[in-house]
Amino acid sequence: MNIVQQVCRAISILGLITLCTGLQHCNPDYGPSGIYDCLQLDKYDKPQYATCITNSYAEMKTNYRYACKEDVYGERPTYCWNQCMVELHDMTYGHVYNDCACTPGQHVIKYSRTTSTTPLPISEQCYTPTGHDCLWFRDCLNYKYSCDGTDYKELLELGFNFCKIAPETKKKISENGFLWFDNAQKCFQVQMAPVLKQWLHLNCSTVENKATSVRNQCLSKPLGVISLCDLSHDDIWTIFWSIRDSFDKNLVPSILHVMNVIQNCSTSDKESNVTEMRLFFTPTINIHVTNTMIEKFLSKIVTKMSWQKEGIGWFCIFTES
Ligand SMILES: *[C@@H]1O[C@H](CO)[C@@H](O)[C@H](O)[C@H]1NC(C)=O
Ligand SMILES: *[C@@H]1O[C@H](CO)[C@@H](O)[C@H](O)[C@H]1NC(C)=O
Ligand SMILES: *[C@@H]1O[C@H](CO)[C@@H](O)[C@H](O)[C@H]1NC(C)=O
């Protein structure tokens, strides 16, 4: 542990972050992601966890404000150590919060490739997602937290669908649109990834709240790069309908959030040509009406009115009032 502390003390990244490199256990070329340790770092009042992460994850997670320290040849390593307080709270000094605090020497260090007694419950790539592995939502996030909250379920669904349609959608939009989409795709994974930290065992309401804020942030200005409102009218609606079409059902609650963010852009040309059609059910009927029935009913109307042929897209939202 002494090595870790000494190395850490000597290094300061971009004058802001303290990331330690060159440690034998977090190999600059091979990592692996997911190993962690507990150390006392300068400028913090208590010991905290540090994890071995990829440089690209470090950059994305901090909205491209931090990176691993360059090596002696001026190149960034693929992996480096990152302290918990930066990753979870964006704080480079001061008080160590409870979700980062630890007691040095009190835990077994999990070196995923060497210990056989305690295998990592999820694969090492889970800890530093790239945004390109669509199964991350199922195999990493939902594997650790199988919560039932609406916003959480929607984030899993929306994130997965963004990832799934990315190759096709990115071909249809401008450079700016591409930039937004690519960062949104990464954002869902990267901003949710900290809940997977091995020492964190959050309850579902905390995970749900995190999902809500991550969704809003990733839709409006993903990774701080470009705001959805800065995209052209064409890009916005191409993206919106691509997401809509990625669901094979018409009743898609998570689509509503995308729409809300679009309509929240102040310029009127972003406010779409969305026409609302409402179906009302009285409370007594309401309890007998299932989502499947609404789906079927609306699909029939749409077919009858030849909306598809007219190039009119549609989606439906179920609200109770
Ligand atoms: C979930 O955890 C948070 C933070 O630890 C706590 O404030 C909250 O009361 C917990 N909620 C439930 C429902 O247990
Ligand atoms: C709409 O914009 C306001 C001001 O920019 C912001 O505070 C709010 O969170 C946004 N709402 C949504 C749904 O994005
Ligand atoms: C809405 O549709 C009308 C008719 O096609 C068109 O003239 C108008 O520019 C559209 N508005 C927006 C905001 O796209």
Side-chain angles (χ1 to χ4, degrees):
M1 287 325 88
N2 281 336
I3 305 169
V4 176
Q5 293 185 20
Q6 280 159 9
V7 176
C8 275
R9 235 175 253 137
I11 291 170
S12 165
I13 294 293
L14 305 176
L16 286 165
I17 192 175
T18 312
L19 292 172
C20 336
T21 56
L23 286 164
Q24 52 181 342
H25 295 302
C26 179
N27 185 292
D29 295 321
Y30 306 108
S33 293
I35 60 167
Y36 63 102
D37 210 333
C38 178
L39 17 125
Q40 173 69 54
L41 298 171
D42 279 357
K43 298 200 252 167
Y44 292 98
D45 66 351
K46 280 192 283 188
Q48 64 182 300
Y49 286 107
T51 42
C52 182
I53 56 166
T54 60
N55 180 56
S56 70
Y57 171 78
E59 290 182 343
M60 291 190 286
K61 180 64 192 64
T62 59
N63 290 1
Y64 302 99
R65 286 176 302 125
Y66 302 107
C68 292
K69 186 185 162 57
E70 293 166 355
D71 62 20
V72 287
Y73 307 106
E75 283 176 22
R76 299 214 183 281
T78 309
Y79 291 88
C80 66
W81 287 103
N82 182 28
Q83 71 263 42
C84 183
M85 282 302 290
V86 166
E87 194 173 339
L88 267 56
H89 301 291
D90 202 359
M91 285 172 58
T92 52
Y93 59 89
H95 181 56
V96 173
Y97 296 164
N98 281 346
D99 54 2
C100 285
C102 56
T103 312
Q106 271 210 353
H107 68 287
V108 180
I109 305 164
K110 307 275 197 302
Y111 297 115
S112 66
R113 284 180 182 166
T114 53
T115 42
S116 51
T117 45
T118 45
L120 287 179
I122 49 180
S123 80
E124 65 186 64
Q125 290 88 353
C126 288
Y127 299 106
T128 52
T130 59
H132 297 294
D133 176 10
C134 303
L135 295 180
W136 182 89
F137 295 96
R138 189 193 73 185
D139 297 346
C140 301
L141 188 54
N142 197 49
Y143 187 84
K144 176 159 180 178
Y145 296 104
S146 52
C147 298
D148 280 328
T150 317
D151 276 11
Y152 180 66
K153 289 267 182 221
E154 285 179 20
L155 177 113
L156 294 172
E157 199 175 61
L158 204 56
F160 175 77
N161 281 44
F162 256 80
C163 182
K164 187 178 74 176
I165 64 171
E168 279 307 309
T169 308
K170 285 173 179 172
K171 281 186 214 153
K172 298 188 221 158
I173 49 185
S174 74
E175 226 170 285
N176 264 356
F178 185 102
L179 201 59
W180 180 89
F181 196 95
D182 192 51
N183 281 288
Q185 181 190 346
K186 293 168 175 166
C187 183
F188 288 117
Q189 296 187 1
V190 165
Q191 298 300 342
M192 277 312 286
V195 302
L196 298 178
K197 294 288 175 210
Q198 291 96 328
W199 60 89
L200 290 180
H201 302 283
L202 308 169
N203 61 34
C204 280
S205 72
T206 305
V207 175
E208 172 88 355
N209 288 342
K210 178 78 181 168
T212 312
S213 80
V214 165
R215 181 198 61 215
N216 292 344
Q217 177 195 342
C218 293
L219 288 176
S220 49
K221 196 174 184 183
L223 305 183
V225 174
I226 181 171
S227 163
L228 178 71
C229 300
D230 293 334
L231 304 196
S232 68
H233 179 266
D234 281 358
D235 279 351
I236 286 185
W237 294 108
T238 303
I239 289 169
F240 178 82
W241 289 110
S242 300
I243 297 165
R244 160 63 191 86
D245 290 342
S246 68
F247 292 91
D248 53 12
K249 52 188 197 283
N250 299 298
L251 199 64
V252 190
S254 41
I255 276 289
L256 177 65
H257 301 297
V258 184
M259 183 60 94
N260 284 346
V261 176
I262 295 174
Q263 304 211 307
N264 205 20
C265 297
S266 53
T267 47
S268 60
D269 72 320
K270 304 289 183 341
E271 287 162 21
S272 70
N273 263 335
V274 177
T275 304
E276 204 171 275
M277 199 173 88
R278 283 172 183 255
L279 291 181
F280 290 99
F281 300 104
T282 61
T284 43
I285 297 178
N286 216 358
I287 50 171
H288 304 294
V289 175
T290 64
N291 287 0
T292 320
M293 286 159 72
I294 300 172
E295 282 262 334
K296 278 195 182 148
F297 182 67
L298 284 171
S299 298
K300 274 192 184 152
I301 297 181
V302 168
T303 313
K304 265 257 165 7
M305 294 169 79
S306 313
W307 281 6
Q308 225 97 37
K309 269 190 237 150
E310 309 277 341
I312 301 173
W314 69 290
F315 66 100
C316 107
I317 305 157
F318 192 50
T319 54
E320 294 190 51
S321 54

